mmCIF file of all heavy atoms in Angstrom:
data_model
loop_
_atom_site.group_PDB
_atom_site.id
_atom_site.type_symbol
_atom_site.label_atom_id
_atom_site.label_comp_id
_atom_site.label_asym_id
_atom_site.label_seq_id
_atom_site.Cartn_x
_atom_site.Cartn_y
_atom_site.Cartn_z
ATOM 1 N N LYS A 3 -19.110 -22.542 -108.359
ATOM 2 C CA LYS A 3 -17.932 -21.740 -108.843
ATOM 3 C C LYS A 3 -16.815 -22.593 -109.233
ATOM 4 O O LYS A 3 -16.566 -23.672 -108.689
ATOM 5 C CB LYS A 3 -17.476 -20.832 -107.639
ATOM 6 C CG LYS A 3 -18.252 -19.583 -107.327
ATOM 7 C CD LYS A 3 -17.820 -18.996 -106.119
ATOM 8 C CE LYS A 3 -16.288 -18.531 -106.120
ATOM 9 N NZ LYS A 3 -15.838 -17.973 -104.845
ATOM 10 N N ILE A 4 -16.129 -22.160 -110.379
ATOM 11 C CA ILE A 4 -14.961 -22.877 -110.910
ATOM 12 C C ILE A 4 -13.823 -21.826 -110.841
ATOM 13 O O ILE A 4 -14.032 -20.665 -111.099
ATOM 14 C CB ILE A 4 -15.191 -23.174 -112.356
ATOM 15 C CG1 ILE A 4 -16.200 -24.354 -112.469
ATOM 16 C CG2 ILE A 4 -13.885 -23.637 -113.013
ATOM 17 C CD1 ILE A 4 -16.555 -24.709 -113.880
ATOM 18 N N LEU A 5 -12.674 -22.363 -110.487
ATOM 19 C CA LEU A 5 -11.410 -21.484 -110.518
ATOM 20 C C LEU A 5 -10.674 -21.875 -111.784
ATOM 21 O O LEU A 5 -10.266 -23.085 -111.944
ATOM 22 C CB LEU A 5 -10.545 -21.690 -109.248
ATOM 23 C CG LEU A 5 -9.297 -20.984 -109.260
ATOM 24 C CD1 LEU A 5 -9.415 -19.462 -109.304
ATOM 25 C CD2 LEU A 5 -8.394 -21.389 -108.058
ATOM 26 N N ARG A 6 -10.511 -21.043 -112.757
ATOM 27 C CA ARG A 6 -9.735 -21.282 -114.001
ATOM 28 C C ARG A 6 -8.395 -20.639 -113.896
ATOM 29 O O ARG A 6 -8.206 -19.375 -113.648
ATOM 30 C CB ARG A 6 -10.518 -20.747 -115.188
ATOM 31 C CG ARG A 6 -9.879 -21.227 -116.524
ATOM 32 C CD ARG A 6 -10.717 -20.795 -117.676
ATOM 33 N NE ARG A 6 -11.954 -21.486 -117.747
ATOM 34 C CZ ARG A 6 -12.198 -22.713 -118.407
ATOM 35 N NH1 ARG A 6 -11.147 -23.343 -118.965
ATOM 36 N NH2 ARG A 6 -13.375 -23.257 -118.426
ATOM 37 N N VAL A 7 -7.429 -21.504 -113.946
ATOM 38 C CA VAL A 7 -5.969 -21.050 -113.837
ATOM 39 C C VAL A 7 -5.289 -21.202 -115.169
ATOM 40 O O VAL A 7 -5.148 -22.385 -115.653
ATOM 41 C CB VAL A 7 -5.266 -21.899 -112.716
ATOM 42 C CG1 VAL A 7 -3.777 -21.449 -112.569
ATOM 43 C CG2 VAL A 7 -6.012 -21.685 -111.406
ATOM 44 N N ASN A 8 -4.840 -20.168 -115.713
ATOM 45 C CA ASN A 8 -3.926 -20.193 -116.918
ATOM 46 C C ASN A 8 -2.611 -20.014 -116.558
ATOM 47 O O ASN A 8 -2.102 -18.862 -116.220
ATOM 48 C CB ASN A 8 -4.451 -19.080 -117.916
ATOM 49 C CG ASN A 8 -3.906 -19.252 -119.303
ATOM 50 O OD1 ASN A 8 -2.628 -19.238 -119.424
ATOM 51 N ND2 ASN A 8 -4.633 -19.432 -120.327
ATOM 52 N N LEU A 9 -1.787 -21.012 -116.672
ATOM 53 C CA LEU A 9 -0.334 -21.010 -116.230
ATOM 54 C C LEU A 9 0.494 -20.157 -117.243
ATOM 55 O O LEU A 9 1.483 -19.574 -116.782
ATOM 56 C CB LEU A 9 0.182 -22.388 -116.121
ATOM 57 C CG LEU A 9 -0.486 -23.275 -114.956
ATOM 58 C CD1 LEU A 9 0.027 -24.739 -115.133
ATOM 59 C CD2 LEU A 9 -0.088 -22.759 -113.581
ATOM 60 N N THR A 10 0.113 -20.318 -118.460
ATOM 61 C CA THR A 10 0.890 -19.522 -119.464
ATOM 62 C C THR A 10 0.781 -18.002 -119.233
ATOM 63 O O THR A 10 1.787 -17.310 -119.275
ATOM 64 C CB THR A 10 0.355 -19.781 -120.870
ATOM 65 O OG1 THR A 10 0.384 -21.181 -121.118
ATOM 66 C CG2 THR A 10 1.218 -19.043 -121.976
ATOM 67 N N GLN A 11 -0.389 -17.603 -118.825
ATOM 68 C CA GLN A 11 -0.645 -16.060 -118.664
ATOM 69 C C GLN A 11 -0.375 -15.697 -117.196
ATOM 70 O O GLN A 11 -0.278 -14.572 -116.851
ATOM 71 C CB GLN A 11 -2.063 -15.739 -119.005
ATOM 72 C CG GLN A 11 -2.475 -15.949 -120.433
ATOM 73 C CD GLN A 11 -3.952 -15.827 -120.674
ATOM 74 O OE1 GLN A 11 -4.739 -15.465 -119.825
ATOM 75 N NE2 GLN A 11 -4.266 -15.942 -122.001
ATOM 76 N N GLY A 12 -0.338 -16.708 -116.232
ATOM 77 C CA GLY A 12 -0.210 -16.490 -114.882
ATOM 78 C C GLY A 12 -1.443 -15.885 -114.210
ATOM 79 O O GLY A 12 -1.308 -15.154 -113.254
ATOM 80 N N SER A 13 -2.571 -16.262 -114.779
ATOM 81 C CA SER A 13 -3.940 -15.720 -114.278
ATOM 82 C C SER A 13 -4.772 -16.709 -113.533
ATOM 83 O O SER A 13 -4.706 -18.020 -113.725
ATOM 84 C CB SER A 13 -4.715 -15.152 -115.539
ATOM 85 O OG SER A 13 -4.955 -16.179 -116.391
ATOM 86 N N CYS A 14 -5.592 -16.195 -112.607
ATOM 87 C CA CYS A 14 -6.556 -17.001 -111.914
ATOM 88 C C CYS A 14 -7.844 -16.232 -111.886
ATOM 89 O O CYS A 14 -7.884 -14.991 -111.482
ATOM 90 C CB CYS A 14 -6.097 -17.213 -110.448
ATOM 91 S SG CYS A 14 -4.498 -18.039 -110.154
ATOM 92 N N ARG A 15 -8.984 -16.841 -112.358
ATOM 93 C CA ARG A 15 -10.155 -16.152 -112.442
ATOM 94 C C ARG A 15 -11.316 -17.085 -112.035
ATOM 95 O O ARG A 15 -11.299 -18.276 -112.245
ATOM 96 C CB ARG A 15 -10.441 -15.419 -113.697
ATOM 97 C CG ARG A 15 -10.474 -16.424 -114.887
ATOM 98 C CD ARG A 15 -10.722 -15.599 -116.199
ATOM 99 N NE ARG A 15 -10.753 -16.415 -117.432
ATOM 100 C CZ ARG A 15 -11.755 -17.169 -117.941
ATOM 101 N NH1 ARG A 15 -12.925 -17.008 -117.237
ATOM 102 N NH2 ARG A 15 -11.604 -17.901 -118.914
ATOM 103 N N SER A 16 -12.381 -16.510 -111.465
ATOM 104 C CA SER A 16 -13.533 -17.264 -111.150
ATOM 105 C C SER A 16 -14.534 -17.307 -112.291
ATOM 106 O O SER A 16 -14.681 -16.261 -112.978
ATOM 107 C CB SER A 16 -14.204 -16.650 -109.860
ATOM 108 O OG SER A 16 -15.461 -17.171 -109.646
ATOM 109 N N GLU A 17 -15.286 -18.380 -112.432
ATOM 110 C CA GLU A 17 -16.263 -18.359 -113.402
ATOM 111 C C GLU A 17 -17.458 -19.230 -112.922
ATOM 112 O O GLU A 17 -17.242 -20.144 -111.957
ATOM 113 C CB GLU A 17 -15.935 -18.864 -114.722
ATOM 114 C CG GLU A 17 -15.388 -20.238 -114.860
ATOM 115 C CD GLU A 17 -14.845 -20.622 -116.250
ATOM 116 O OE1 GLU A 17 -14.018 -19.914 -116.739
ATOM 117 O OE2 GLU A 17 -15.417 -21.703 -116.799
ATOM 118 N N PRO A 18 -18.687 -19.114 -113.297
ATOM 119 C CA PRO A 18 -19.845 -19.802 -112.765
ATOM 120 C C PRO A 18 -19.827 -21.287 -113.287
ATOM 121 O O PRO A 18 -19.407 -21.495 -114.493
ATOM 122 C CB PRO A 18 -21.104 -19.145 -113.244
ATOM 123 C CG PRO A 18 -20.575 -18.335 -114.470
ATOM 124 C CD PRO A 18 -19.180 -17.992 -114.175
ATOM 125 N N LEU A 19 -20.235 -22.189 -112.424
ATOM 126 C CA LEU A 19 -20.339 -23.589 -112.755
ATOM 127 C C LEU A 19 -21.435 -23.704 -113.798
ATOM 128 O O LEU A 19 -22.469 -23.221 -113.575
ATOM 129 C CB LEU A 19 -20.505 -24.414 -111.564
ATOM 130 C CG LEU A 19 -20.607 -26.005 -111.807
ATOM 131 C CD1 LEU A 19 -19.274 -26.567 -112.219
ATOM 132 C CD2 LEU A 19 -21.176 -26.686 -110.556
ATOM 133 N N ASN A 20 -21.289 -24.537 -114.792
ATOM 134 C CA ASN A 20 -22.318 -24.847 -115.743
ATOM 135 C C ASN A 20 -23.331 -25.718 -115.045
ATOM 136 O O ASN A 20 -23.137 -26.962 -115.079
ATOM 137 C CB ASN A 20 -21.789 -25.469 -117.056
ATOM 138 C CG ASN A 20 -22.770 -25.651 -118.176
ATOM 139 O OD1 ASN A 20 -23.965 -25.901 -117.882
ATOM 140 N ND2 ASN A 20 -22.421 -25.374 -119.344
ATOM 141 N N MET A 21 -24.469 -25.243 -114.482
ATOM 142 C CA MET A 21 -25.396 -26.032 -113.826
ATOM 143 C C MET A 21 -26.246 -26.957 -114.697
ATOM 144 O O MET A 21 -26.782 -27.929 -114.201
ATOM 145 C CB MET A 21 -26.388 -25.081 -113.034
ATOM 146 C CG MET A 21 -25.678 -24.264 -111.963
ATOM 147 S SD MET A 21 -24.724 -25.351 -110.797
ATOM 148 C CE MET A 21 -25.917 -26.440 -110.132
ATOM 149 N N ALA A 22 -26.358 -26.614 -116.003
ATOM 150 C CA ALA A 22 -26.997 -27.556 -116.887
ATOM 151 C C ALA A 22 -26.223 -28.918 -116.991
ATOM 152 O O ALA A 22 -26.761 -29.982 -117.032
ATOM 153 C CB ALA A 22 -27.214 -26.970 -118.272
ATOM 154 N N TRP A 23 -24.832 -28.693 -117.054
ATOM 155 C CA TRP A 23 -23.996 -29.859 -117.043
ATOM 156 C C TRP A 23 -23.992 -30.569 -115.728
ATOM 157 O O TRP A 23 -23.919 -31.846 -115.703
ATOM 158 C CB TRP A 23 -22.606 -29.400 -117.454
ATOM 159 C CG TRP A 23 -22.420 -29.073 -118.845
ATOM 160 C CD1 TRP A 23 -23.277 -29.054 -119.865
ATOM 161 C CD2 TRP A 23 -21.187 -28.548 -119.454
ATOM 162 N NE1 TRP A 23 -22.741 -28.706 -121.095
ATOM 163 C CE2 TRP A 23 -21.441 -28.360 -120.856
ATOM 164 C CE3 TRP A 23 -19.916 -28.302 -119.016
ATOM 165 C CZ2 TRP A 23 -20.506 -27.963 -121.740
ATOM 166 C CZ3 TRP A 23 -18.966 -27.867 -119.906
ATOM 167 C CH2 TRP A 23 -19.129 -27.600 -121.280
ATOM 168 N N ALA A 24 -24.063 -29.799 -114.628
ATOM 169 C CA ALA A 24 -24.108 -30.431 -113.332
ATOM 170 C C ALA A 24 -25.306 -31.378 -113.207
ATOM 171 O O ALA A 24 -25.353 -32.445 -112.566
ATOM 172 C CB ALA A 24 -24.115 -29.395 -112.265
ATOM 173 N N ALA A 25 -26.428 -30.969 -113.766
ATOM 174 C CA ALA A 25 -27.714 -31.676 -113.747
ATOM 175 C C ALA A 25 -27.552 -32.989 -114.511
ATOM 176 O O ALA A 25 -28.303 -33.993 -114.287
ATOM 177 C CB ALA A 25 -28.880 -30.902 -114.229
ATOM 178 N N GLN A 26 -26.690 -33.042 -115.467
ATOM 179 C CA GLN A 26 -26.464 -34.241 -116.307
ATOM 180 C C GLN A 26 -25.317 -35.103 -115.846
ATOM 181 O O GLN A 26 -25.366 -36.304 -115.902
ATOM 182 C CB GLN A 26 -26.121 -33.760 -117.709
ATOM 183 C CG GLN A 26 -27.241 -33.198 -118.541
ATOM 184 C CD GLN A 26 -26.853 -32.913 -119.946
ATOM 185 O OE1 GLN A 26 -25.914 -32.189 -120.184
ATOM 186 N NE2 GLN A 26 -27.461 -33.585 -120.917
#
């Protein structure tokens, strides 16, 4: 899991980790 925080919008949302990148 990644937490993406957009300070301009004031938003916080979860998104899945890119597991293909994690493997690399």
Side-chain angles (χ1 to χ4, degrees):
K3 283 172 56 183
I4 291 174
L5 177 63
R6 188 174 292 273
V7 178
N8 189 302
L9 294 169
T10 304
Q11 300 172 0
S13 63
C14 302
R15 62 181 175 85
S16 172
E17 64 182 56
L19 183 70
N20 187 322
M21 294 308 298
W23 287 356
Q26 288 185 301

